[in-house]
Amino acid sequence: MPIGYLDVPTGVDLGRKRELVKAMYQALHEAWPFPDDVRIFVREWPVDSVSQNGLLGSEPARPVFTMHVPQGVNTDTKRKVLEKINAAVARAYQLPDFMIFIAEYPLDLVAHEGGLLADNQQRVEDQGEAYS
């Protein structure tokens, strides 16, 4: 159930974006395989819509990826995911200063179609098996 928001400058062609999201999906899915529901939202920002260090439009947006994921994946697995995502974004955007933020959630803080994931015992068991 990883959900990610990639904030980047405009200007990358569709082919490179396809390669990018495929590589990001693969990295996220390897770490969080259950369920197979990885969502990545690419948000493109024109230079006049980005302030960096107090200056509006001074340079293209420096990429930032925020990912919302279930708790339970070990630190070594996270390191591998971060390396793969960093490499994919670097290939696509070739910009410095890329940052990734990880927000982890227990199943009692995530709802799907109005119900807490923690209330679905089969989901809890399946996720525990997938992440162990």
Side-chain angles (χ1 to χ4, degrees):
M1 127 195 141
I3 297 173
Y5 299 91
L6 179 63
D7 292 291
V8 291
T10 59
V12 169
D13 67 77
L14 189 57
R16 283 200 297 175
K17 278 193 246 183
R18 284 190 175 114
E19 291 174 15
L20 169 65
V21 296
K22 183 176 182 178
M24 292 176 78
Y25 162 77
Q26 289 171 337
L28 290 165
H29 182 71
E30 284 177 26
W32 294 277
F34 177 83
D36 189 13
D37 185 5
V38 176
R39 303 174 195 192
I40 301 168
F41 298 89
V42 179
R43 302 185 293 196
E44 297 181 311
W45 299 93
V47 70
D48 63 351
S49 295
V50 177
S51 169
Q52 292 169 149
N53 298 326
L55 300 173
L56 184 64
S58 62
E59 59 186 287
R62 292 179 229 152
V64 176
F65 184 58
T66 305
M67 56 188 199
H68 302 270
V69 297
Q71 287 180 332
V73 171
N74 69 52
T75 303
D76 287 336
T77 299
K78 289 178 201 171
R79 284 186 184 104
K80 290 175 188 172
V81 169
L82 298 174
E83 289 171 8
K84 290 176 182 179
I85 290 174
N86 188 75
V89 173
R91 278 192 306 274
Y93 287 93
Q94 302 168 358
L95 291 170
D97 208 13
F98 176 49
M99 296 188 74
I100 300 174
F101 294 90
I102 303 171
E104 293 183 295
Y105 300 93
L107 295 182
D108 65 343
L109 293 180
V110 180
H112 179 248
E113 297 188 358
L116 284 174
L117 295 181
D119 292 342
N120 180 337
Q121 190 57 41
Q122 188 63 52
R123 165 69 186 247
V124 172
E125 291 171 14
D126 290 346
Q127 183 167 314
E129 289 175 19
Y131 300 160
S132 61

